[in-house]
Amino acid sequence: MNNPFDAGYYLSDELRTFGFRSVGDNVKVAKDCSIIGLHNIDLGDHVRIDSYASIVAVSGFVKIGRYVHIGGGSYIGGAGGVTMEDFVGLSGGVSLYSASDDYTGRALTNPTVPAAYTAVKSAPIVLSRHVIIGSGSIVLPGCAIGEGSAVGALSMVNKSLEPWGIYSGAPCKRLAARKRDLLEKESQLEAASRN
């Protein structure tokens, strides 16, 4: 008997017919996701996007590399541009905002107001290779997270982060260096996939 609570996944061949800019091999996207602006979205090889994730790229772009996982309930707003390089992982409920309203009170807010009356800040977000972001964390416009960095759960990234660090907090702060052992595992995976 099929589990009525499991909506299942669309796979690469079917996804290629939907209008994405590009779709790699071995891609799985949960059928209960909300994805808007398909023509502005690239999906690399070995990508998995889980249930209730939302990706909005009506303007801007979202470029997802290889071996990327986007956990359930995550939100990716691509108006300012979002790049997720290879081996990036987003835990459940992570939000990437490449555009944000002005909260100072100098302008009106929200997407129902014409742009002439708002002061939206748009700037690209870049998650470099091997970045992992813990559950419920938020990344704000203009932040670049350096290669190999890990961001703990419930953190807020409001500035760019240096490579190979472990960060946590709101706003997040560097706690320690992150080990690079995973680079050997990457080499082993790449070698195995060539055979």
Side-chain angles (χ1 to χ4, degrees):
M1 177 175 143
N2 288 335
N3 180 347
F5 300 102
D6 182 357
Y9 289 89
Y10 295 112
L11 304 178
S12 293
D13 288 341
E14 192 169 11
L15 291 165
R16 289 183 183 116
T17 69
F18 292 170
F20 285 95
R21 185 162 44 199
S22 66
V23 176
D25 294 327
N26 194 30
V27 176
K28 296 172 65 174
V29 176
K31 292 182 177 181
D32 49 8
C33 285
S34 175
I35 302 179
I36 301 168
L38 299 174
H39 61 285
N40 292 322
I41 300 171
D42 294 287
L43 303 174
D45 297 333
H46 310 286
V47 168
R48 190 177 98 199
I49 302 172
D50 288 341
S51 294
Y52 306 112
S54 296
I55 301 174
V56 180
V58 174
S59 61
F61 65 89
V62 173
K63 183 172 178 42
I64 299 171
R66 300 176 314 124
Y67 294 100
V68 172
H69 174 243
I70 298 171
S74 292
Y75 173 82
I76 300 171
V82 173
T83 301
M84 299 170 64
E85 296 181 359
D86 299 346
F87 298 99
V88 165
L90 303 184
S91 296
V94 170
S95 297
L96 307 179
Y97 295 103
S98 63
S100 179
D101 280 308
D102 178 343
Y103 283 71
T104 66
R106 292 185 204 127
L108 294 175
T109 63
N110 86 55
T112 66
V113 176
Y117 303 99
T118 67
V120 173
K121 175 188 176 184
S122 294
I125 290 174
V126 177
L127 306 183
S128 297
R129 294 167 51 79
H130 298 291
V131 164
I132 184 168
I133 301 183
S135 297
S137 293
I138 298 168
V139 180
L140 296 178
C143 293
I145 300 179
E147 180 179 66
S149 284
V151 176
L154 301 174
S155 294
M156 182 179 71
V157 180
N158 65 352
K159 64 182 179 186
S160 293
L161 306 178
E162 294 295 318
W164 297 102
I166 298 172
Y167 297 86
S168 188
C172 70
K173 294 183 170 112
R174 186 179 176 103
L175 303 178
R178 188 172 182 216
K179 295 190 182 307
R180 299 178 191 220
D181 299 359
L182 59 88
L183 295 174
E184 178 60 30
K185 298 294 184 186
E186 176 189 357
S187 294
Q188 293 170 6
L189 173 63
E190 298 288 3
S193 65
R194 285 191 293 271
N195 294 335

